Amino acid sequence: MTLYHFGNCVALVYVPYYLTYKYSGLSEYGAFWKCIQAGGIYVFTQLCKMLILATFFPANDANGQDGMDFVGEFLKSTVDLADLGGLYLVLMGIPGKGHAKVLTAGIGWAGADILLSRFLLLWVGARGAEFDWIYIQKSLDSNISLVQHITTATLVWLWSRHDLNRSLLPVVSAMLLLCSYKFLLMELFVQATVSGPWVALLVRAIFTLCLGTTTLQIYAGFAQSIGIY
């Protein structure tokens, strides 16, 4: 049962990444090392964020007794805007068409995120003797993160285009802010509704699906207007 549980978690996490890379056409571009480079920039970005958080936003345990400190959490979530800068650097360093750039950046960024944030948890926890649904939830959440990171990379690429319709720029900018503050929004929702982890996972999936669908519509219209696919 332990190995079966662990195998299911690993499959849920890594198979979607492999299938996305293989069947999206990235393998034809030889983008594997570009994904590795994107992961390296992710690591550097997270280190910078940790230094900023440790310097300007030290942990305050007293706030946890009275509930969430909205101002403090908002300021901490603002640091996540650094991820947009990191994705911009990744996109600028990848040659090729738009879909290849955003997929390479998104998969590399998401892969590094999963490797650093969930790999150890699954390797140690999911191989334990006792079954726990939290590892299945984390595995499903990794798939949601893959879609989220690809969506964010697409929005950053659209925002960086000088030939993007100016009327769409405020929409793209607002969606980028939603991507940066999604964790804070999810925490507010959980506290407001007192919902469980499965409901929170479902809400995040719906939020990511809506954001990704809207981004896909904007990208498809823009790609058709300038003749790239």
Side-chain angles (χ1 to χ4, degrees):
M1 181 65 183
T2 299
L3 293 178
Y4 182 73
H5 182 211
F6 175 69
N8 282 341
C9 291
V10 172
L12 283 172
V13 172
Y14 293 106
V15 169
Y17 285 74
Y18 172 76
L19 294 178
T20 303
Y21 177 83
K22 182 175 179 59
Y23 294 104
S24 63
L26 290 183
S27 57
E28 300 176 2
Y29 287 90
F32 178 77
W33 289 111
K34 288 295 182 181
C35 291
I36 299 298
Q37 294 175 13
I41 296 180
Y42 169 85
V43 173
F44 175 75
T45 304
Q46 302 314 304
L47 288 175
C48 293
K49 288 169 57 178
M50 290 173 61
L51 288 174
I52 294 174
L53 289 173
T55 303
F56 299 103
F57 307 103
N60 188 359
D61 297 333
N63 292 328
Q65 302 174 358
D66 302 326
M68 185 177 68
D69 179 15
F70 176 78
V71 176
E73 293 298 325
F74 175 80
L75 293 175
K76 291 178 182 178
S77 296
T78 304
V79 181
D80 289 338
L81 293 173
D83 290 334
L84 304 182
L87 279 171
Y88 178 80
L89 292 178
V90 173
L91 289 168
M92 293 302 102
I94 300 175
K97 297 182 178 180
H99 74 279
K101 293 166 72 76
V102 298
L103 285 174
T104 301
I107 292 176
W109 199 269
D113 179 32
I114 296 303
L115 188 64
L116 294 178
S117 61
R118 293 182 176 89
F119 176 77
L120 185 61
L121 173 67
L122 293 177
W123 182 261
V124 176
R127 295 172 72 247
E130 184 178 355
F131 176 85
D132 197 328
W133 282 105
I134 189 174
Y135 304 113
I136 301 295
Q137 294 168 2
K138 293 294 184 182
S139 302
L140 294 174
D141 186 60
S142 68
N143 297 309
I144 299 174
S145 296
L146 173 61
V147 178
Q148 178 66 60
H149 288 309
I150 293 177
T151 298
T152 306
T154 305
L155 290 170
V156 172
W157 182 79
L158 289 169
W159 182 84
S160 66
R161 297 286 301 193
H162 298 290
D163 47 357
L164 180 68
N165 191 332
R166 294 298 95 182
S167 62
L168 293 175
L169 187 59
V171 178
V172 172
S173 301
M175 293 172 69
L176 282 172
L177 289 177
L178 283 176
C179 291
S180 297
Y181 291 99
K182 64 182 181 298
F183 178 78
L184 176 61
L185 295 175
M186 292 298 103
E187 286 295 318
L188 289 174
F189 172 81
V190 169
Q191 286 206 353
T193 59
V194 197
S195 57
W198 286 107
V199 176
L201 187 66
L202 177 62
V203 170
R204 186 179 179 192
I206 295 174
F207 174 82
T208 303
L209 179 63
C210 294
L211 199 63
T213 303
T214 306
T215 303
L216 180 61
Q217 292 294 326
I218 297 175
Y219 174 82
F222 175 71
Q224 185 177 9
S225 67
I226 63 176
I228 62 171
Y229 301 98

